[in-house]
Structures are given as C-alpha cells and as structure tokens.
Amino acid sequence: MGQAVKSRRDLDAVVAAVRQEYDEMPGLALTVEQAQRLWALEPRMCGVVLARLVESGYLRQTDGGRFTKPSAA
C-alpha cells in the first residue's frame, strides 16, 4: 500500500486490502503499530481502517490490544 489515502474510494480500497490480508493469513493478530508497518499506513489512517473493521464486526480488538478476526480468538 504505502500511499496517501485521498478519498473515500481510496479508504475503501485500503480497508478491502486489509481484509484480504486477514483472509489470507488465518490467526493474524496485529497491534496498531504492527499494522502500520505491515501496510505502510500513517498512524491516523491505520486507526481509521482498523476502527472501521471493528465497527463492521469483521475484526475485534483483544484485551492485549491486538486486532484479529473474531473466529481466530
């Protein structure tokens, strides 16, 4: 990824790419910092992407602060 998100369409594309990574790697559990590095996202945008995925029920945040699919918990 590693590019600036300039529109809602760009944000939707980043969210879709993150979802695909989680689908391809069962058991993936990342902290915010790890997600930022993996997808080369600025901190604010990474937070927005992860929050959107949590709000939709696709991801959940563990007590330890990692983001994972609910089925992987």
Side-chain angles (χ1 to χ4, degrees):
M1 279 175 241
Q3 57 189 13
V5 176
K6 298 176 183 144
S7 70
R8 181 174 175 91
R9 184 179 307 167
D10 290 343
L11 175 60
D12 291 343
V14 173
V15 169
V18 170
R19 284 181 66 118
Q20 183 176 357
E21 293 278 346
Y22 272 93
D23 286 342
E24 291 176 0
M25 292 185 269
L28 186 63
L30 300 173
T31 65
V32 172
E33 294 80 13
Q34 291 169 328
Q36 285 173 227
R37 286 192 303 270
L38 179 62
W39 296 303
L41 294 172
E42 66 176 31
R44 182 172 162 263
M45 182 53 55
C46 189
V48 168
V49 169
L50 292 172
R52 183 183 275 197
L53 290 168
V54 169
E55 288 168 6
S56 72
Y58 182 78
L59 293 181
R60 71 174 196 92
Q61 189 170 14
T62 67
D63 291 339
R66 294 184 180 273
F67 290 85
T68 187
K69 289 176 77 173
S71 59

